[in-house]
Amino acid sequence: MAYYHVHGLIPDTFAQSEGYQLFEQYIANGAPKDNFDGFELISRVHAPQTGEVFVTCKAENHLKVAEHFAIWRAKFGVEWDVKPVFNDKEVIQRNKQVAEEIAAMG
């Protein structure tokens, strides 16, 4: 599974107020879309003073990421900036691969 860092921006205070009401229900219901087959939420933190949400997750593919985040965009207009990221082991592996490719070039 790949790691993703996701930044969410809630478009306005009305959407934020309405969205957080639904979010509270979502959490009260056990947050069912935080962990499902092919998706695992690692962390979610909020900056309500600026209408931002920051999420780190693991997913099999972009469709699994969309399965978690799409409803918030469709219902409340949350803009999601999804970036694939590396964990420590992966970045070291990537760096070694790049170094080997550069060395092979001569």
Side-chain angles (χ1 to χ4, degrees), residues 7-10 16 20 44-54:
H7 172 251
L9 182 59
I10 304 166
Q16 185 174 4
Y20 273 123
R44 176 177 43 234
V45 293
H46 306 259
Q49 68 277 14
T50 58
E52 294 175 282
V53 181
F54 304 89

Side-chain angles (χ1 to χ4, degrees), residues 13 41 61 93:
T13 55
L41 188 129
N61 56 52
Q93 178 183 351

Side-chain angles (χ1 to χ4, degrees), residues 6-104:
V6 183
H7 172 251
L9 182 59
I10 304 166
D12 55 55
T13 55
F14 179 76
Q16 185 174 4
S17 177
E18 294 290 312
Y20 273 123
Q21 288 179 23
L22 183 61
F23 180 74
E24 288 176 21
Q25 292 173 10
Y26 172 78
I27 294 298
N29 290 330
K33 288 291 187 179
D34 280 7
N35 291 290
F36 59 90
D37 187 36
F39 183 90
E40 176 186 347
L41 188 129
I42 296 170
S43 72
R44 176 177 43 234
V45 293
H46 306 259
Q49 68 277 14
T50 58
E52 294 175 282
V53 181
F54 304 89
V55 176
T56 302
C57 60
K58 292 192 314 187
E60 284 181 1
N61 56 52
H62 290 26
L63 290 173
K64 297 294 185 176
V65 173
E67 188 174 339
H68 177 80
F69 292 101
I71 188 68
W72 303 100
R73 166 108 178 118
K75 191 154 178 67
F76 302 106
V78 178
E79 296 283 340
W80 297 108
D81 180 18
V82 179
K83 290 184 172 47
V85 293
F86 296 107
N87 66 22
D88 293 344
K89 183 179 176 182
E90 292 167 335
V91 79
I92 290 169
Q93 178 183 351
R94 176 217 168 255
N95 290 347
K96 287 180 181 180
Q97 287 173 338
V98 170
E100 288 171 4
E101 290 176 18
I102 290 171

